[in-house]
Amino acid sequence: MITVVRILARRVVLLVPLMLGIVLFVFLVMRFSDVDPASAFFQGANPTARQLHDFREENGLLDPLPVRYVAFIGDLLHGDMGISALTRAPVVDQVMTALPLTLQLTFLGLGIAVVLSLAGGVTAAIYRDRLPDQIIRVVSLTGVAAPGFWLALLMIQYLAVDLGWFPTGGYINPADSFTGWLKTMTLPALALSLPVAAQLTRIVRTSVVEELDKDYVRTAIGSGLPPRVVVGRNVLRNALINPLTVLGLRVGYLLGGAVVIETIFSLPGMGKLMIDAVKNGDPAVVQGVVLTTATGFVVVNLVIDILYLLVNPRLREAT
């Protein structure tokens, strides 16, 4: 237990310079972009040069970059992401309003991807080089090549418009109607998750096949243990290391892909907030969305590290 706590503490400490680097990167990109925060704040109001200068001075935009970066870090530590130039509302309020929907979509898609990849990968490995394996391999190859936005458009056309099984877009809060929420989230989650599920299926199959060929599996089955017990208790656990590595990286794809999927299905999440901010020239909101997404990616990878420790005790011993 002490070893696990020490390893986790080390991971958390390493997150500090990583987050500072992410914040620095976003800070520099936004400061050297063509969007002027002062002009964005007064957009459509024809401000005078004096008004622009006073705004820049009041908000520290005339200070040297190192001073502005330190002040920016201080504001973030106090939960201040700035003020939206469009709505004049705190950015953190808009982010916290849009974030729950994006998290719902991301984790629903992640859950679908994990279930499909485990079922498909294990089945293909058990029936390797036979008909089920061949079918799953063809389907997974097709899924890897299919872009999420293309799948989304196909689903809208056939499942929503032609068959009428699902709505074409919009969002219903689960507190109002869980069934309505499930209907509005199913197609976006499927479009987001299927390419990830296809890639993970191939990796799960390869890992399980390699594990099935090891001597301890033959010994266990030869001693009379049912194959399903050997696969479920030993093979699957040992074979999950490589898929977990890819899964941690694919969460970033899910978060990024949610921007496009939310736009296609008119979901009021982080993606729509980002697109609207870019179109309307609202740099503070763009900055807030990017930082929140990057933070979420880092946190998810920390969770993946914890799962490594749970799945593979040898990592604890090696560390």
Side-chain angles (χ1 to χ4, degrees):
M1 183 64 183
I2 297 177
T3 303
V4 174
V5 173
R6 185 168 62 246
I7 295 172
L8 293 179
R10 188 184 307 168
R11 296 284 197 277
V12 173
V13 169
L14 290 175
L15 289 182
V16 175
L18 176 61
M19 287 305 304
L20 289 175
I22 292 173
V23 172
L24 177 61
F25 176 76
V26 174
F27 173 82
L28 291 176
V29 168
M30 295 305 299
R31 295 311 174 273
F32 288 107
S33 68
D34 294 332
V35 179
D36 178 19
S39 300
F41 188 83
F42 288 105
Q43 56 182 314
N46 296 321
T48 64
R50 182 64 184 178
Q51 287 177 311
L52 292 173
H53 181 273
D54 290 343
F55 178 87
R56 296 187 181 105
E57 185 175 24
E58 180 182 349
N59 290 274
L61 299 178
L62 301 178
D63 295 336
L65 276 180
V67 175
R68 293 167 62 186
Y69 176 66
V70 173
F72 182 57
I73 292 289
D75 290 339
L76 289 178
L77 291 176
H78 288 88
D80 182 5
M81 293 183 176
I83 302 297
S84 168
L86 184 65
T87 64
R88 301 295 194 268
V91 173
V92 66
D93 291 345
Q94 298 186 53
V95 168
M96 294 310 295
T97 300
L99 182 59
L101 188 147
T102 300
L103 292 179
Q104 292 171 27
L105 177 60
T106 300
F107 286 104
L108 183 58
L110 184 64
I112 293 173
V114 169
V115 171
L116 292 179
S117 61
L118 285 177
V122 173
T123 302
I126 293 175
Y127 294 95
R128 70 175 117 172
D129 298 328
R130 286 181 277 177
L131 182 60
D133 181 28
Q134 300 296 339
I135 294 174
I136 292 173
R137 288 165 68 178
V138 170
V139 172
S140 63
L141 278 173
T142 305
V144 169
F149 70 89
W150 180 73
L151 291 174
L153 295 175
L154 286 181
M155 290 178 184
I156 290 175
Q157 178 63 46
Y158 292 107
L159 299 180
V161 176
D162 293 346
L163 297 176
W165 291 351
F166 300 96
T168 58
Y171 175 73
I172 296 177
N173 194 301
D176 298 330
S177 172
F178 180 79
T179 303
W181 172 82
L182 196 58
K183 285 184 177 180
T184 57
M185 297 295 286
T186 297
L187 292 188
L190 283 174
L192 189 63
S193 65
L194 288 180
V196 176
Q199 183 180 17
L200 284 176
T201 297
R202 296 173 56 81
I203 297 171
V204 170
R205 178 196 179 276
T206 301
S207 299
V208 174
V209 165
E210 291 177 353
E211 205 66 26
L212 287 173
D213 288 337
K214 292 184 177 179
D215 292 336
Y216 81 89
V217 176
R218 299 192 190 96
T219 302
I221 295 177
S223 64
L225 285 175
R228 66 177 181 275
V229 174
V230 177
V231 172
R233 184 179 299 173
N234 302 107
V235 172
L236 192 56
R237 180 171 181 174
N238 293 332
L240 282 178
I241 304 301
N242 290 335
L244 274 177
T245 305
V246 178
L247 182 62
L249 299 174
R250 291 292 87 189
V251 171
Y253 165 83
L254 291 172
L255 287 170
V259 173
V260 178
I261 298 301
E262 288 175 0
T263 303
I264 293 175
F265 287 94
S266 300
L267 297 174
M270 297 282 280
K272 187 175 185 301
L273 183 63
M274 166 75 89
I275 297 298
D276 290 345
V278 171
K279 289 193 301 185
N280 296 317
D282 201 342
V285 174
V286 174
Q287 182 175 263
V289 172
V290 172
L291 283 174
T292 303
T293 304
T295 302
F297 180 71
V298 170
V299 171
V300 167
N301 277 273
L302 176 62
V303 174
I304 296 296
D305 286 342
I306 296 173
L307 291 178
Y308 281 155
L309 298 176
L310 296 176
V311 172
N312 191 0
R314 289 174 294 181
L315 291 176
R316 299 196 294 266
E317 297 171 3
T319 312

